[in-house]
Amino acid sequence: MDKRGKLLIISGFSGVGKGTVVKGLLDMYKNYAISVSATTRKPREGEIDGKSYFFKTVDEFKTMIDKNEFLEYAQYVNNYYGTPKAYVEQQLSKGNNVILEIEVVGACNVKKIYSDAVMIFIVPPNAKELCDRLTFRGTEATDVIRERLTRAVDEADDVEKYDYVVVNDTIENCVDTINDIANDNSAVMERCKISANLPFIKVIKNDLKNILKGE
Ligand code: 5GP
């Protein structure tokens, strides 16, 4: 029987470039599959239903919950997001590594079900870069940017629940590092393991707080 794939949970502060990193993994390496989530958030410009997300009304989303169609779901800044179950199982049994790009609550819920899932948190090289990226992305209003930065400060406390921290300095480096972790490269795993990176997370958290205070 073919080897089962790995479940890779990829999280990170809003604006850190998770989407681009995930796309890079899919483009550069063969044996990855991305789980497309359902959400009640409105589509951003350029997002395609069924590809970026399955865009749902709140009622449709609640029906999916009732039918037990989600592996996990969570609320994030006033919208629901959830991972449809069937596709994940199908891809894992085909031997593909399945990427879940989800936030921390969902990530921890998935880990309870799949204890061997690998939890990776992507961080920016520094706090200012995150702030600049959210601002220049131009997809969110100023108050939403503040909400997302505030949420990032809270999320910094949850990073310790993850297995690895990967810095998104360049997309190529970040993609290769994640692929190395997925392939059990012990030197990379050692460098990225959570305990080695908590002091850095603390610095980012403090800097984000100062940015929000306008300092
Ligand atoms: P965005 O609105 O920027 O696309 O996503 C907001 C947050 O929701 C991100 O942190 C993203 O990783 C997370 N997210 C996307 N899909 C899911 C999902 O299926 N489940 C959970 N728990 N979080 C998700």
Side-chain angles (χ1 to χ4, degrees):
M1 201 184 95
D2 283 342
K3 201 168 151 258
R4 227 173 119 81
K6 278 196 183 144
L7 193 55
L8 299 180
I9 300 173
I10 297 190
S11 304
F13 304 129
S14 181
V16 78
K18 296 181 293 281
T20 318
V21 169
V22 168
K23 186 174 179 305
L25 270 168
L26 295 170
D27 288 348
M28 285 163 68
Y29 299 99
K30 278 209 169 65
N31 57 328
Y32 287 89
I34 176 89
S35 155
V36 177
S37 297
T39 183
T40 58
R41 165 167 81 57
K42 296 276 167 290
R44 294 188 188 122
E45 212 180 308
E47 285 187 330
I48 299 166
D49 189 33
K51 208 159 177 229
S52 321
Y53 280 105
F54 295 105
F55 293 100
K56 303 286 176 193
T57 63
V58 174
D59 281 349
E60 285 168 344
F61 197 97
K62 287 188 173 161
T63 304
M64 290 178 79
I65 298 175
D66 292 344
K67 288 183 169 171
N68 197 20
E69 288 180 21
F70 289 120
L71 184 58
E72 62 74 37
Y73 66 91
Q75 230 178 333
Y76 178 94
V77 190
N78 303 328
N79 287 302
Y80 285 109
Y81 295 82
T83 307
K85 219 187 296 195
Y87 180 81
V88 171
E89 254 315 309
Q90 195 189 68
Q91 292 297 318
L92 287 175
S93 34
K94 272 192 190 169
N96 286 325
N97 295 328
V98 179
I99 303 168
L100 303 186
E101 195 229 292
I102 60 180
E103 55 62 74
V104 61
V105 177
C108 293
N109 286 336
V110 170
K111 184 84 177 187
K112 282 183 211 150
I113 304 166
Y114 291 88
S115 57
D116 53 356
V118 182
M119 292 174 73
I120 297 173
F121 200 91
I122 303 180
V123 295
N126 55 63
K128 182 167 183 307
E129 177 124 353
L130 186 71
C131 193
D132 289 350
R133 288 185 59 123
L134 273 173
T135 311
F136 292 137
R137 186 159 81 177
T139 49
E140 258 85 30
T142 318
D143 55 335
V144 177
I145 293 174
R146 274 196 78 79
E147 272 182 86
R148 285 183 176 233
L149 287 175
T150 307
R151 169 87 185 208
V153 173
D154 293 339
E155 278 176 345
D157 291 332
D158 290 319
V159 179
E160 63 187 28
K161 296 175 183 150
Y162 283 71
D163 301 308
Y164 302 101
V165 168
V166 177
V167 178
N168 186 11
D169 47 0
T170 69
I171 296 295
E172 292 74 17
N173 282 345
C174 190
V175 166
D176 287 345
T177 303
I178 294 173
N179 185 54
D180 284 339
I181 292 172
N183 287 297
D184 300 323
N185 178 325
S186 52
V188 173
M189 289 159 96
E190 190 60 27
R191 169 164 59 82
C192 296
K193 70 180 181 192
I194 191 70
S195 54
N197 287 280
L198 286 178
F200 175 56
I201 299 297
K202 210 170 155 188
V203 170
I204 293 200
K205 179 181 170 178
N206 277 333
D207 290 350
L208 281 173
K209 272 186 174 167
N210 289 335
I211 288 172
L212 279 165
K213 273 194 264 166
E215 284 172 14

